[in-house]
Amino acid sequence: MAGIDNQERDTFSGKLGIIAAAVGSAVGLGNIWRFPYVTGENGGGAFLLIYLLFILAIGFPVMLAELSIGRRAQRNALGSFRKLAPGKPWYLVGVMGIVAAFLILAFYSTVAGWTLEYLVQSLGNSFAGKNAGELSENFETFHSGTFRPLLWQMIFMFLTAFIIFSGVKKGIEKYTKILMPLLVVLILAVSIRSLTLPGSGEGLKFLFSPDFSKITWNSVLMALGQAAFSLSIGMGTLITYGSYVRKDNHLPGIAFQVSLSDTAIAILAGVMIFPAVFAYGIDPASGPGLVFVVLPNIFAQMPGGHIFSIFFFLLLAIAALTSTVSVLEVVVAYFCEELKMTRAKSTILAATAISVVGVFATLSFGPLKGATIAGKTFFDWFEYLTANIMLPLGAIFIVLFVGWYLGRKAFSDEITSGGQYKIAITGLLMFVLKFLAPMAIAMVFIYGLLGGSL
Ligand code: TRP
């Protein structure tokens, strides 16, 4: 390779670097509040079994496909398609990824900002002595405001931009290598505290006992959607990260370890939340309420609640931060490589533009509550368009691209690092990429269009 390919391209230093970064991306708000409640409402153990099957049979191959595209092309999400399929419309998948990154970050940073407010409230021990009604009122007043939610969102965007600004090795890799082990320690500490509460067994039963009577077609599709969102597939995040992976790193091993870690942390999140919820006889609520209302209520009553509330909201903020970093990098890499801007300029421009869009998401709970289109606020639309439409479509096109366009020879060359490693399941992976994954994801997509939430 010559010319532009020889430009010094920042990379991860090795296997540990890409694993920390990719696990950081995968483990996010999706794992910590969405996974436990979705699992709980869909039959617990039975749902978990289906979810695990999807992670293994579909999530893992799709993740590997995305990483392969990026590492082969050595480009951003859009540039990768342009390079591997010159003159073909495949680059539109990259365009959709960039747009999705804008919208995801806009609404994700709203909720990420809330985690900072709650971290500060925890530090001030402000849940102590409040009852459920007061804590619900507390959340209502805060998140429907204007100044504080916006301020926290901007601070969160600033933190994200700061890490991205510092580069791949000195930014993303350096911070995820510090933050992810910290997250694991915190989640283990809170899980153990939760498990040692009297009556925690009920929560575990709720989470793990397989109740197949609760499994419906809908819950199967929910499992697939959750698996895709949780692994950060379908948007080009892993194409971008894949482009920073060294040629001699074992790509299937990386994809496997990332899938496994993300799943383990989702299960730990369930172990952390449900025993506590059941120990205090609280109904497992869904959505933002579970984390921002129910958990503060539990911390207010629990011995050691002050310190564990700090741990919990700190780990939630960390989980969100290492995910927002991975979304911002998609846009910044695109600005740098395709629009030939410096990293500094790209970061400032992308973060500012996204923050402007983000204001609409944040104010959707307050001043812009009434600004709805077809009953949905800006926040709802950003979430709906990305999770239910762009991600499934992106994932389908990514597997079709690798399965049918790149083909077996190039894919096999990439995952074996040019024959350096032996991969025994290449044929099986190709079958999944060509047929199984596109069909399964298409079902989720159609279901999403019919009105169900992913
Ligand atoms: N996986 C993250 C979570 O569970 C969210 C996320 C980060 C994401 N980057 C992504 C989702 C790219 C889809 C695509 O919270």
Side-chain angles (χ1 to χ4, degrees), residues 62-121:
V62 176
M63 178 181 283
L64 184 56
E66 256 195 62
L67 290 169
S68 303
I69 294 173
R71 190 170 70 175
R72 192 145 193 91
Q74 297 285 295
R75 288 280 194 289
N76 61 86
L78 195 150
S80 285
F81 286 105
R82 264 208 192 123
K83 183 168 173 195
L84 298 176
K88 299 258 166 39
W90 284 105
Y91 75 92
L92 292 169
V93 183
V95 173
M96 187 169 68
I98 310 286
V99 175
F102 258 80
L103 299 179
I104 288 185
L105 206 41
F107 80 81
Y108 207 92
S109 62
T110 298
V111 183
W114 299 347
T115 69
L116 293 182
E117 163 77 19
Y118 270 68
L119 177 58
V120 170
Q121 288 198 16

Side-chain angles (χ1 to χ4, degrees), residues 100-321:
F102 258 80
L103 299 179
I104 288 185
L105 206 41
F107 80 81
Y108 207 92
S109 62
T110 298
V111 183
W114 299 347
T115 69
L116 293 182
E117 163 77 19
Y118 270 68
L119 177 58
V120 170
Q121 288 198 16
S122 302
L123 287 165
N125 201 11
S126 76
F127 310 134
K130 290 202 174 77
N131 63 33
E134 289 165 326
L135 287 163
S136 158
E137 180 67 30
N138 177 41
F139 178 61
E140 196 45 50
T141 310
F142 160 69
H143 90 304
S144 64
T146 302
F147 181 70
R148 282 179 81 96
L150 281 179
L151 179 70
W152 286 125
Q153 179 182 35
M154 296 311 148
I155 291 174
F156 206 93
M157 282 302 295
F158 180 83
L159 292 173
T160 307
F162 174 78
I163 295 177
I164 288 303
F165 183 87
S166 311
V168 176
K169 211 181 274 116
K170 296 204 175 87
I172 302 172
E173 175 170 337
K174 180 177 151 195
Y175 290 99
T176 50
K177 270 182 170 170
I178 299 168
L179 293 174
M180 293 317 286
L182 178 61
L183 181 141
V184 171
V185 171
L186 291 172
I187 209 167
L188 284 173
V190 184
S191 300
I192 290 167
R193 170 69 273 212
S194 180
L195 282 172
T196 50
L197 288 169
S200 68
E202 272 310 298
L204 290 181
K205 218 191 271 165
F206 179 69
L207 184 59
F208 289 116
S209 70
D211 182 357
F212 283 97
S213 71
K214 281 202 186 137
I215 293 291
T216 59
W217 188 232
N218 174 50
S219 39
V220 174
L221 294 169
M222 292 287 281
L224 185 59
Q226 176 64 24
F229 187 84
S230 193
L231 293 177
S232 299
I233 54 187
M235 198 201 80
T237 290
L238 294 165
I239 294 179
T240 309
Y241 275 11
S243 75
Y244 306 132
V245 176
R246 287 169 34 162
K247 284 285 183 193
D248 60 345
N249 283 155
H250 191 293
L251 227 44
I254 291 166
F256 188 75
Q257 286 179 51
V258 173
S259 310
L260 199 70
S261 311
D262 182 64
T263 308
I265 291 184
I267 294 172
L268 263 182
V271 167
M272 179 170 66
I273 290 166
F274 285 112
V277 167
F278 278 76
Y280 285 95
I282 293 160
D283 246 5
S286 65
L290 186 63
V291 165
F292 297 102
V293 179
V294 175
L295 278 176
N297 187 18
I298 290 161
F299 293 132
Q301 301 172 50
M302 172 171 104
H306 181 202
I307 189 80
F308 285 101
S309 68
I310 297 170
F311 284 5
F312 180 78
F313 286 107
L314 180 61
L315 85 84
L316 197 59
I318 291 172
L321 182 62

Side-chain angles (χ1 to χ4, degrees), residues 297-431:
N297 187 18
I298 290 161
F299 293 132
Q301 301 172 50
M302 172 171 104
H306 181 202
I307 189 80
F308 285 101
S309 68
I310 297 170
F311 284 5
F312 180 78
F313 286 107
L314 180 61
L315 85 84
L316 197 59
I318 291 172
L321 182 62
T322 54
S323 294
T324 53
V325 159
S326 75
V327 184
L328 185 59
E329 179 61 20
V330 172
V331 183
V332 169
Y334 165 71
F335 282 177
C336 283
E337 291 172 5
E338 304 298 308
L339 309 180
K340 308 281 178 253
M341 289 181 202
T342 63
R343 192 168 180 88
K345 214 175 175 180
S346 302
T347 308
I348 294 167
L349 188 71
T352 308
I354 290 166
S355 299
V356 171
V357 185
V359 168
F360 289 87
T362 297
L363 297 185
S364 294
F365 298 91
L368 292 179
K369 207 181 213 151
T372 57
I373 303 164
K376 283 184 164 66
T377 62
F378 285 103
F379 184 100
D380 299 338
W381 271 112
F382 296 165
E383 196 194 4
Y384 178 79
L385 282 174
T386 52
N388 290 7
I389 296 183
M390 294 179 174
L391 293 186
L393 264 184
I396 290 173
F397 284 121
I398 284 162
V399 289
L400 290 178
F401 181 76
V402 175
W404 297 94
Y405 184 88
L406 262 191
R408 180 173 178 144
K409 203 162 160 278
F411 178 64
S412 169
D413 182 63
E414 200 51 51
I415 62 174
T416 60
S417 295
Q420 193 181 336
Y421 303 109
K422 285 260 165 300
I423 310 292
I425 55 163
T426 308
L428 180 65
L429 287 170
M430 281 308 287
F431 169 76

